[in-house]
Amino acid sequence: MKRRRRSTIRLVSLALLASCSTKEPSDHAVSAKPDTGTEKRFKVALLTPGPISDQSWNGGAYQGLLRIRDSLGASVSHIQTKTPAEFEEQFRQYGAQGYDLVFGHGFEFQDAAKRVGPEFPRTIYVTTSSSTSGANVAGMEFAFADASFLAGLVAGSLSKTGILGVIGGTELPPVKESFVAFEKGARAANPSVRILKSYIGNWDDVSAGKEQALAQIGRGADVIFQNADAAGLGVFQAARDTRRALIIGSNSNQNGVAPEVTVGSVVIDLPHAFLSVAREVKDGQFKPRVIRLGTSSDVVSLVLNPDFAARVPPAIQHRVDSLRTEMRAARFSVQAGER
Amino acid sequence: MTTGDLATFLSAGVRTATPLALAALGELLVERSGLINIGLEGAILAGAFGALLGASAGGLALGYLAAMGAGVVMALIFAFFVLRVRADQIITGTALTLLSVGATGTMYRALYGSGGAALRVPTSGSIPFPVLSRIPVIGPAFFDQPLVTYIAYGLACALSWWLYRTHAGLALRAVGEEPEAAAAAGIRVVRVRASAILAGGVLAGLSGAALVLAHAGTFAEGMSAGRGFVAIAIVILGRWTPAGVALAALLFGAASALQFAFQAMGWQVPYQLFLAIPYALTLAGLAGGVGRSRGPAALNRAL
């Protein structure tokens, strides 16, 4: 209920502001290359569920949109949305405006894409973390499990208390899947490890994110894996204040957010993933399908913080590297499906 | 539960209660003057954004000042529309919250780009109270907190005295109960109400500053996360008295801390149940305890 009310607020306020804001990046159409004039401009839009300043899930997608603009000379547009009603409305808006490609960034967008897609057959709708596909609807699945498993392996070996924490925004399936794989990795390093799991309940309450982390640290967690976007900044802050825990980030490379306490990040190379899809669409080569991206395509990977690499025991470092090679060759995969 | 857990729980409760108590004490003044400012949520968010701008430009002190300034700006807009234009209070307050969510988000992106402010905002550390902070368990929880928490304690006490022991406090209560009678007695109703609104704005701004400068160390769009609406409920739960409001804020803070603690204990219960604890408790308090009490008679009456 709370989320829904606040999203309504956001929707109306955006509408209010549309008339008075001059520098709302949500709606800019910037040209990187001069218009050829003869050819219709390639138009790409992005819907994110949260603010692009989160240095995580939404920020990475926005970087992807900018890369499409810069590399393909596309005209781009971004808007932040929250409720399913808004998802459909914005999908329709972009369809009606003749956009060639519209990204809905997150699991929660897939139903809206499925419904709106048939109404605008000339627009291709791609939703991330989803497994839908249709005539002009595609899903992009990130194999979070492999990299999360490696993160768990490192966390389990670094922990002195034998207690790890995971903190998420809400229990979305990809988040849950990532946490399950993290737990498996941690057990591979230390079979008796304990995992504390907390959800903040939203993705933007930084203060609550910090408190969830402090509560876990109070219970002895000394390595915390977080996946909570903007609210996750509070998790880093808790580690910085107490100096009693290390953090592993998610979605974007968060090693620079608080380098002194960050072991590494499970990074999705969203810019790369978005650009390759956009390139296919622009060239008319795109076939609607579920695009699976993971370790073998190097889109999802565990990136260790260079400052911390020295503190990871060589044996574990070696194990991570060899597992990564196995994963790249698709000889090893975490069965994240089983719970 | 060990004493260590108890101390962790209590100090989390006090930390969570601080911004709520500040905002609710401000709203208490507004409601005692017979008005209701639903724009509190927006004022807290504006305060948080002001704190970010001030602290980035000139350190902590400027951060707190700018936050209160941002709260005052929101209060001035509310006062203008409600007292001068005589617009509906609920609609004005709602519009203010919408304005704040949109305006802070837009300005944040314009000033900080897509990277945001990260964790570069300075934070005020906690100041242990001599002697008191060494009391086992409750010492660190209540007396090893940032300055702004002590300001909240002081305000609750000062307002209790001011509201019931001074002429100005009496005037405020009179305006909230019987504005016509108060006016006949020579009290300048509009001036009293404007002052209450401005004081509410200062405290809402301070509440936002507490979030950014005493806790999170960063700004995020929508980071007030409904605290303004919770604070309005806290005013009712606290029966429109400063001490009651402070206790109600502490209760909500403790309920939130309980939620954090329960989740971190690793019980196999759906997390949504834990997240609902503070709201369920507030609702139970409102339904059970407040039935007998009565708000200011002129509350939300058309001007």
Side-chain angles (χ1 to χ4, degrees):
Chain A
M1 275 314 284
K2 211 172 113 214
R3 279 186 70 138
R4 180 151 305 175
R5 187 198 62 232
R6 279 179 26 229
S7 342
T8 319
I9 288 171
R10 193 160 296 166
L11 174 71
V12 182
S13 67
L14 276 176
L16 280 175
L17 269 170
S19 52
C20 61
S21 76
T22 49
K23 217 185 164 188
E24 171 65 76
S26 300
D27 240 350
H28 61 185
V30 191
S31 52
K33 286 179 185 171
D35 214 326
T36 50
T38 51
E39 193 181 344
K40 185 178 149 286
R41 272 294 279 284
F42 182 54
K43 286 160 80 178
V44 182
L46 166 70
L47 276 63
T48 58
I52 54 171
S53 53
D54 63 356
Q55 306 218 347
S56 182
W57 179 251
N58 301 299
Y62 189 67
Q63 293 308 317
L65 186 70
L66 295 186
R67 192 168 305 174
I68 291 170
R69 179 192 74 189
D70 295 339
S71 304
L72 304 180
S75 146
V76 300
S77 172
H78 158 256
I79 196 139
Q80 182 182 326
T81 54
K82 211 125 195 197
T83 62
E86 284 175 79
F87 301 163
E88 287 192 29
E89 186 50 36
Q90 287 302 331
F91 274 152
R92 282 205 182 89
Q93 283 287 333
Y94 284 126
Q97 289 171 27
Y99 273 76
D100 301 280
L101 173 60
V102 180
F103 288 100
H105 190 41
F107 174 84
E108 56 268 54
F109 288 92
Q110 58 183 332
D111 290 340
K114 235 184 305 186
R115 267 195 294 275
V116 175
E119 298 171 28
F120 300 97
R122 291 167 172 280
T123 302
I124 288 171
Y125 293 92
V126 176
T127 56
T128 56
S129 280
S130 86
S131 50
T132 35
S133 67
N136 59 332
V137 177
M140 206 189 262
E141 246 184 0
F142 303 113
F144 237 137
D146 286 352
S148 303
F149 182 91
L150 294 179
L153 194 68
V154 173
S157 66
L158 282 179
S159 174
K160 294 188 173 66
T161 57
I163 302 173
L164 306 179
V166 294
I167 297 179
T170 57
E171 199 177 27
L172 295 180
V175 175
K176 201 171 164 184
E177 178 190 313
S178 165
F179 287 171
V180 169
F182 176 84
E183 189 166 346
K184 285 185 182 168
R187 291 208 191 290
N190 173 5
S192 64
V193 78
R194 271 192 65 205
I195 311 255
L196 310 177
K197 190 180 348 165
S198 303
Y199 287 97
I200 297 163
N202 62 64
W203 302 85
D204 33 40
D205 192 339
V206 188
S207 178
K210 183 178 176 184
E211 287 297 342
Q212 298 284 13
L214 289 175
Q216 291 194 343
I217 294 169
R219 299 290 297 177
D222 63 352
V223 186
I224 299 176
F225 180 39
Q226 74 85 20
N227 190 345
D229 299 355
L233 293 171
V235 177
F236 286 100
Q237 189 70 290
R240 249 180 25 164
D241 281 4
T242 58
R243 291 297 177 120
R244 280 165 57 199
L246 301 171
I247 308 298
I248 298 176
S250 276
N251 303 325
S252 286
N253 187 333
Q254 299 190 306
N255 295 346
V257 174
E260 67 274 35
V261 293
T262 309
V263 181
S265 305
V266 172
V267 179
I268 313 176
D269 191 349
L270 290 165
H272 174 80
F274 276 37
L275 181 62
S276 55
V277 167
R279 188 167 275 141
E280 286 180 28
V281 172
K282 193 182 185 208
D283 299 343
Q285 306 288 316
F286 187 77
K287 291 185 184 59
R289 65 191 189 277
V290 178
I291 307 153
R292 291 197 174 78
L293 300 163
T295 319
S296 51
S297 50
D298 260 340
V299 168
V300 189
S301 57
L302 172 68
V303 179
L304 289 175
N305 182 359
D307 300 350
F308 258 90
R311 283 176 59 178
V312 179
I316 291 295
Q317 185 94 56
H318 181 73
R319 200 165 160 197
V320 167
D321 288 340
S322 69
L323 269 179
R324 204 197 306 260
T325 314
E326 299 266 293
M327 285 168 173
R328 276 212 188 97
R331 284 196 299 267
F332 177 94
S333 189
V334 186
Q335 292 302 311
E338 70 187 48
R339 298 253 146 79
Chain B
M1 222 186 199
T2 65
T3 54
D5 288 339
L6 196 59
T8 309
F9 157 72
L10 282 176
S11 65
V14 174
R15 277 195 305 269
T16 309
T18 299
L20 292 170
L22 288 167
L25 287 171
E27 181 74 9
L28 166 79
L29 292 175
V30 177
E31 295 198 11
R32 276 293 188 155
S33 82
L35 304 172
I36 184 158
N37 186 357
I38 298 275
L40 188 58
E41 171 78 5
I44 296 175
L45 191 58
F49 188 65
L52 166 77
L53 292 185
S56 314
L60 277 171
L62 192 61
Y64 280 102
L65 280 178
M68 291 189 269
V72 166
V73 169
M74 299 296 285
L76 281 173
I77 302 175
F78 183 78
F80 174 78
F81 278 101
V82 168
L83 298 179
R84 177 65 68 85
V85 183
R86 305 208 169 181
D88 183 276
Q89 296 165 37
I90 301 294
I91 292 176
T92 306
T94 309
L96 269 183
T97 295
L98 301 183
L99 173 75
S100 180
V101 172
T104 54
T106 304
M107 285 192 278
Y108 185 53
R109 284 188 212 174
L111 293 172
Y112 288 84
S114 57
L119 296 180
R120 288 188 294 271
V121 186
T123 49
S124 45
S126 59
I127 307 168
F129 236 76
V131 188
L132 288 178
S133 65
R134 272 183 264 146
I135 305 170
V137 185
I138 63 164
F142 288 89
F143 300 106
D144 190 1
Q145 293 281 354
L147 183 63
V148 66
T149 301
Y150 303 139
I151 291 179
Y153 297 164
L155 261 173
C157 300
L159 284 180
S160 292
W161 169 79
W162 181 85
L163 203 53
Y164 300 103
R165 296 273 184 272
T166 66
H167 277 289
L170 178 65
L172 180 73
R173 286 184 290 135
V175 168
E177 295 294 337
E178 281 293 344
E180 294 82 6
I187 296 170
R188 294 180 171 180
V189 173
V190 170
R191 186 180 285 186
V192 168
R193 286 183 160 165
S195 313
I197 293 171
L198 289 184
V202 169
L203 291 181
L206 198 57
S207 165
L211 276 181
V212 171
L213 302 177
H215 203 225
T218 187
F219 178 84
E221 292 171 42
M223 73 180 294
S224 50
R227 284 179 178 79
F229 298 105
V230 170
I232 291 171
I234 282 173
V235 173
I236 304 171
L237 193 60
R239 300 177 173 212
W240 293 274
T241 67
V245 163
L247 284 177
L250 209 54
L251 176 76
F252 190 91
S256 302
L258 202 61
Q259 178 264 108
F260 305 139
F262 281 168
Q263 288 209 57
M265 284 178 181
W267 291 347
Q268 295 300 313
V269 178
Y271 74 95
Q272 290 89 345
L273 288 181
F274 292 134
L275 288 179
I277 291 175
Y279 303 97
L281 264 178
T282 308
L283 204 59
L286 285 174
V290 186
R292 298 179 302 278
S293 86
R294 185 181 67 86
L299 196 59
N300 198 27
R301 198 193 287 164
L303 300 184

